[in-house]
Amino acid sequence: MARTGRPRGFDTGQAVDAALALFWQYGYESTSLAQLREAMGISSASFYAAFSSKEQLFEAVVQRYLSTYGQVTAVAADEALAPREAIEQTLRRSVRMQTDPSHPSGCLVVLAESTCASGNQRVRDLLADRRAWDRRNMTACVERAVTRGELPPGTDPKALAAVFHSFLLGLSTQARDGVPAADLDASVTHVMRVWDGMASALHPV
Amino acid sequence: MARTGRPRGFDTGQAVDAALALFWQYGYESTSLAQLREAMGISSASFYAAFSSKEQLFEAVVQRYLSTYGQVTAVAADEALAPREAIEQTLRRSVRMQTDPSHPSGCLVVLAESTCASGNQRVRDLLADRRAWDRRNMTACVERAVTRGELPPGTDPKALAAVFHSFLLGLSTQARDGVPAADLDASVTHVMRVWDGMASALHPV
DNA sequence: CTAGTTATGGATCGATTGATCCGTAACTAG
DNA sequence: CTAGTTACGGATCAATCGATCCATAACTAG
């Protein structure tokens, strides 16, 4: 059944996508309501009727980002994949996504709120939670690899995961600084040697 | 000879240090003039007489940062060191510095302006220049290693440097997210295996 | 001493911030 | 049709932004 009252004059999904592009480019605090309203093509009243506040809009934007672009890191949580493959694919897909010229470079989760006023702790936590999730997935990959006998028993999962996660986080700044995608993709091949170096201890010559 | 006129009632160096702490913690845009003036304990007039503008104060702050905390990455430019040692020390010192609880975590150069309003491009460039400098130093380390016969002739300096630089850049976000220094230091040991893996091609079994 | 110079506190600037309010338009239910 | 509901454009809010101005204080040169 159709809802009563005057119908909304704009598409909420498209408005969130427009906001996503702005928050991704400029970050949370540096994107103003005026910018958002102009990109959405709506008035102040319509904005608050639809999204309640800047912060709640940002939450919707993050949710949208995570369910689309952000999915590139979800392979790390796929237990059907071999652990090494899961991590390598996480890195390669992240490189490709973050350097895609059809949208702002880097990752919104890393860039949108690296530093912020103390009043926006909620926004920071929102993104920090996702980073922690990625980190846990990568750590779990290493732990699974040890269980499966693909890495030596003495492996330190936290330290090894920190290598790949740090590399992943650094991609955002590199992408923003204009490092070519080809260089980044080649560097993924190199960083995966960390894994192989650990694994080679399992096959003594 | 003493300068004429009423003497300054505060120490400029201490004021810059106070500003450094704020910009490091909250970033450039999120640190307000009111915060800065309160931390410095001076009035608006004194502020502008001494520093001209928020942007110029930030430049002084960056200069101060680079000549102190930021020196941890300067070892990468030291050609007296063995290239591998230079890179490893850059990473280890960065871990120690960025996790030191006596000041804000992470690196100001990476965190203070990852995203910004279009009007602050100047500030962004200021920090991006330093990141590019670090990157060039690390690339030069790899190139020197090839010249010195410590890495194979076919090595891709850009790709290999991208591994270490991406790892370095990622440290800031990890430090902000509270990853323990011990985990990060252990991960440096692991990431250096990328270098050793390349170098081992020089010594076929 | 006086004249010149610089720094000070504090009021204040115009612009912009995120957010609210109001009268009206556009729709549905009955 | 009328009554009820929701969305609209646009004016406007208090707060804060970075920055400026002015009268006065505190110093030096002569």
Side-chain angles (χ1 to χ4, degrees), chain B residues 122-175:
Chain B
R122 171 94 179 76
V123 170
R124 227 193 97 74
D125 291 345
L126 196 66
L127 303 181
D129 285 350
R130 174 65 177 207
R131 291 193 296 266
W133 185 77
D134 284 339
R135 188 180 194 79
R136 280 195 304 273
N137 285 336
M138 295 180 112
T139 308
C141 278
V142 175
E143 288 167 344
R144 277 172 49 225
V146 173
T147 302
R148 292 159 56 127
E150 297 167 4
L151 285 177
T155 304
D156 179 357
K158 282 190 201 169
L160 198 51
V163 172
F164 299 111
H165 195 220
S166 195
F167 179 85
L168 173 65
L169 294 169
L171 289 179
S172 285
T173 304
Q174 291 193 98

Side-chain angles (χ1 to χ4, degrees), chain A residues 63-75:
Chain A
Q63 196 167 355
R64 173 90 177 130
Y65 178 87
L66 294 182
S67 67
T68 54
Y69 305 99
Q71 283 300 307
V72 291
T73 67
V75 288

Side-chain angles (χ1 to χ4, degrees), chain A residues 23-30 110-118 124 128 131-132 135 155-156 158-171 173-174 176-177 179 182-184 186-188 190-194 197-198 205, chain B residues 23-30 110-118 124 128 131-132 135 155-156 158-171 173-174 176-177 179 182-184 186-188 190-194 197-198 205:
Chain A
F23 281 132
W24 196 347
Q25 176 69 49
Y26 301 111
Y28 176 72
E29 292 184 335
S30 295
V110 177
L111 298 173
E113 197 73 47
S114 53
T115 54
C116 63
S118 47
R124 228 193 96 76
R131 291 194 295 267
R135 187 179 195 80
T155 305
D156 179 356
K158 281 191 200 170
L160 198 52
V163 173
F164 299 112
H165 195 220
S166 196
F167 179 85
L168 173 65
L169 294 169
L171 289 179
T173 304
Q174 292 193 98
R176 273 293 157 105
D177 287 345
V179 178
D183 291 354
L184 297 181
S187 71
V188 172
H190 281 118
V191 83
M192 290 311 296
R193 284 176 173 272
V194 173
M198 293 293 292
V205 282
Chain B
F23 280 133
W24 196 347
Q25 175 70 46
Y26 302 112
Y28 176 72
E29 292 183 334
S30 294
V110 176
L111 297 173
E113 196 72 46
S114 55
T115 56
C116 64
S118 47
R124 227 193 97 74
R131 291 193 296 266
R135 188 180 194 79
T155 304
D156 179 357
K158 282 190 201 169
L160 198 51
V163 172
F164 299 111
H165 195 220
S166 195
F167 179 85
L168 173 65
L169 294 169
L171 289 179
T173 304
Q174 291 193 98
R176 272 294 155 106
D177 287 345
V179 178
D183 291 353
L184 297 181
S187 71
V188 172
H190 281 118
V191 82
M192 289 312 296
R193 284 176 173 272
V194 173
M198 293 292 291
V205 283

Side-chain angles (χ1 to χ4, degrees), chain A residues 6-20:
Chain A
R6 178 174 174 172
R8 189 163 277 150
F10 65 97
D11 185 281
T12 305
Q14 288 179 12
V16 169
D17 284 337
L20 169 56

